[in-house]
Amino acid sequence: MELRQLRYFLKVVEHGSLGRAALELNVGTSALSQQISKLENELSTRLLTRSSIGVSPTPAGIAFQHHAQLTLRQAENAAQAAQRERMSGYVSLGFAPSTSSVLALPLIAVMRQRYPNIQLHMVEMLSGYLSSQLQARQLDLAILFHSDPGRRYRVRPLLDEKLFLISPSGLPGVPSGDSVTLAELTQVPLVLPSDQHGLRSTINNAFTHSRCEPSVVMNVDGLALLMETVKAGYAATIQPGAVAARAGEQGLHVVQIADAHAGRRNLLVSLPDDELSPAALAARVAILETTRELVANGRWPGAHLLDEHDA
């Protein structure tokens, strides 16, 4: 079995077509078909079902796909290790933009100080996309807000964080005080992420639980642009403590939302331990320790650490 055969197989499954896969791989369709057939003969099983409209994996092909992805990734890591004399490993980490804003730089500092020969690959995207990247074995670990119980993940509760109202000075309708309730915010113009964003679902559910509705005047799906909109004075926003940690430094008014259900849970989700490299296992420990330090030093507002066994 050759690595290129695994690569060919995965590309055919991705495109659902021998022809389209051959074009991307820059090989002839007949040569690609021969390599797939050779692989199937070696395994003594059919991996692909061929039809007039394309190809699709058989049940055996679906089972093989998972291990082919993992094998190729480990081979790539091995090649990178050989290319760097002092290489000690490679790890890919995923964060939602809000989490990244408070955790990423402190974590980088810890990893560079403890493990200078571990190469970090850090990805910032919406939580739902991070889950897909984990499933495709393109990430080792990610901090998510929901996990699929059907997936073979290692899930560790990390922390609960409260939601905060973040507003520019002088915005009409913003109540005064050290805390606010959602019921007091129904007349405050809000800029929020759109419905495809996990945070928006959390906010909508919190308002529904409080039997009131937010006054959303704008949807923005980029955290940087959303916060610039707030700083420009167009609206307030509701964000978790990870974002509130930076908002106060930008001259914005930050106040915690008092409703008990106005918050979200952060989960540290990884591939199973038997699929993680030593570098990834070290990074998981570093994430836990960095998070604890941030919370203990008050640098993650409204955050409450969770024990590994918290439901």
Side-chain angles (χ1 to χ4, degrees):
M1 187 183 302
E2 301 176 14
L3 290 178
R4 65 168 177 166
Q5 293 173 332
L6 304 185
R7 193 173 296 110
Y8 288 176
F9 167 75
L10 291 175
K11 192 60 66 176
V12 170
V13 172
E14 176 185 343
H15 289 284
S17 164
L18 284 166
R20 288 195 294 271
L23 283 174
E24 182 167 335
L25 292 165
N26 196 28
V27 299
T29 303
S30 60
L32 177 58
S33 180
Q34 288 173 5
Q35 289 297 324
I36 296 296
S37 295
K38 184 178 178 181
L39 179 61
E40 290 177 325
N41 289 336
E42 184 170 347
L43 296 172
S44 299
T45 189
R46 185 69 66 188
L47 297 176
L48 297 172
T49 299
R50 297 158 174 83
S51 69
S52 59
I53 61 173
V55 296
S56 59
T58 64
I62 293 173
F64 183 74
Q65 180 184 6
H66 160 78
H67 294 285
Q69 289 170 329
L70 183 60
T71 299
L72 280 181
R73 183 169 175 203
Q74 290 180 337
E76 181 181 345
N77 292 348
Q80 292 175 349
Q83 292 165 2
R84 286 186 295 272
E85 295 179 0
R86 299 188 305 151
M87 174 64 178
S88 296
Y90 172 93
V91 60
S92 55
L93 311 172
F95 305 104
S98 56
T99 307
S100 177
S101 68
V102 69
L103 178 60
L105 286 179
L107 177 62
I108 289 172
V110 169
M111 291 295 293
R112 294 304 299 158
Q113 193 247 335
R114 292 187 187 177
Y115 312 108
N117 300 323
I118 289 181
Q119 182 186 11
L120 289 175
H121 173 212
M122 305 188 76
V123 176
E124 183 181 271
M125 59 176 58
L126 299 184
S127 178
Y129 297 140
L130 292 174
S131 183
S132 299
Q133 295 270 298
L134 270 174
Q135 176 64 16
R137 269 58 188 176
Q138 295 174 350
L139 290 175
D140 293 303
L141 307 99
I143 294 182
L144 307 179
F145 312 115
H146 304 281
S147 69
D148 186 343
R151 304 296 187 189
R152 188 170 170 261
Y153 293 149
R154 168 78 182 273
V155 180
R156 200 261 192 219
L158 187 62
L159 58 82
D160 284 335
E161 58 181 334
K162 297 292 293 182
L163 297 181
F164 289 77
L165 177 71
I166 303 174
S167 60
S169 60
L171 185 71
V174 175
S176 59
D178 296 331
S179 64
V180 297
T181 64
L182 293 173
E184 295 177 290
L185 302 182
T186 56
Q187 301 303 312
V188 177
L190 296 175
V191 52
L192 297 176
S194 68
D195 290 337
Q196 68 175 342
H197 201 294
L199 177 60
R200 179 62 177 272
S201 297
T202 297
I203 294 170
N204 288 345
N205 291 338
F207 271 97
T208 299
H209 192 279
S210 295
R211 298 182 180 180
C212 55
E213 294 185 6
S215 176
V216 182
V217 298
M218 201 180 315
N219 297 299
V220 176
D221 279 332
L223 180 60
L225 177 58
L226 186 150
M227 294 306 296
E228 287 297 324
T229 302
V230 175
K231 285 194 290 184
Y234 292 111
T237 190
I238 294 175
Q239 294 290 328
V243 177
R246 300 289 298 276
E249 302 170 4
Q250 301 170 350
L252 296 172
H253 182 59
V254 179
V255 58
Q256 184 171 310
I257 296 174
D259 304 62
H261 52 274
R264 70 177 181 184
R265 176 154 295 188
N266 290 245
L267 306 171
L268 180 55
V269 183
S270 69
L271 300 179
D273 285 3
D274 59 359
E275 296 183 21
L276 290 181
S277 66
L281 293 170
R284 187 165 66 189
V285 172
I287 289 173
L288 290 169
E289 294 182 357
T290 304
T291 300
R292 291 192 193 103
E293 184 176 352
L294 289 170
V295 174
N297 293 337
R299 295 171 59 193
W300 198 319
H304 169 70
L305 289 170
L306 297 173
D307 184 80
E308 185 172 3
H309 304 293
D310 285 330

